[in-house]
Each structure stands twice: as C-alpha cells, then as structure tokens.
Amino acid sequence: MGLPTLNGAGQVKMATLEECNTLVSRLHSTVERLGLAVKNNQNTGVFYGQIRRILEELIGKLKAQFGMVADQATAVNLASSRGGADAVKLRGLREGVAQLKQALEIAERKVKEQHTVTE
C-alpha cells in the first residue's frame, strides 16, 4: 500500500495556499508595525498603502480557487480604507488577519481531504 499524496489539482491549490500564507504573514507584520506607530503617535499613512497592496495581491491569488477566502480579504481591505480612528481600524485589521489565517488553515485542511490519493 502506497503513501497518500495529493493529486495535481491538490498540489496546485496547496502551492497557492503556501504563497497566500506568506502574504498573510507579511500582512500581519505590517499591521503590527502599524500598531506600534499608533501607540507611539507616529504617522500611519504609509502603512495603510502597504496593507492595501498586500491585500490586493492576496485577493488576486485567492480569487480563482478560493473565492470565499478572497471575499474575506476584500472585506478586510474595505475596512482598512474606511475613515475613523486609527485604533478602531487597527482592531479591525487585527481581527481580519486572524480570520484570514483561520480561513487559510481550513482551506488547507479541505484540500488535503478532497485531493488525497493513495498510489
């Protein structure tokens, strides 16, 4: 009996999820740097541009195969661009990053369940 492996479609989806996990890690670090800037009353404008660029790249990678997760990333992007106090935006961004991490973990588990084959 052979070892379980992923079929071709599963391998492509897992590669996409690995790239997206990297982007979410980059997003998380940028959000935390924003948190330090908010705490120290520094300029926060540059961080929002970086966050939007990361989110747009993430959405582009997710859209074709993981539409629901892409919609979550779109909601986070929308929340980051709305007006309001920096502290409120920061809280929303932190919650959004946590939701994205969780959604990617769930998607990874589903890909493994649906695309595992034994040779």
Side-chain angles (χ1 to χ4, degrees):
M1 188 163 106
L3 296 173
T5 59
L6 292 174
N7 60 14
Q11 290 175 356
V12 170
K13 287 182 179 181
M14 287 301 285
T16 301
L17 288 173
E18 287 175 14
E19 291 173 12
C20 292
N21 277 325
T22 303
L23 286 171
V24 170
S25 295
R26 213 168 82 205
L27 175 67
H28 184 218
S29 68
T30 305
V31 168
E32 290 307 316
R33 286 188 295 143
L34 170 67
L36 286 174
V38 168
K39 181 181 176 183
N40 295 327
N41 292 325
Q42 296 174 343
N43 186 13
T44 58
V46 68
F47 294 109
Y48 292 115
Q50 292 174 356
I51 288 168
R52 280 191 218 106
R53 280 192 295 277
I54 294 169
L55 282 168
E56 287 171 5
E57 185 178 352
L58 181 66
I59 292 164
K61 289 188 183 297
L62 289 169
K63 195 60 129 178
Q65 299 166 338
F66 303 99
M68 297 292 286
V69 183
D71 291 342
Q72 283 183 330
T74 303
V76 174
N77 194 11
L78 182 64
S80 72
S81 63
R82 288 200 176 138
D86 283 335
V88 175
K89 284 192 210 178
L90 178 63
R91 189 177 328 119
L93 283 168
R94 283 178 171 157
E95 290 173 4
V97 168
Q99 289 173 356
L100 286 172
K101 283 183 178 183
Q102 186 177 27
L104 289 175
E105 286 176 10
I106 291 170
E108 189 173 322
R109 193 170 350 113
K110 283 186 177 182
V111 167
K112 286 179 183 176
E113 287 174 5
Q114 294 172 353
H115 295 282
T116 299
V117 293
T118 52
E119 297 177 1

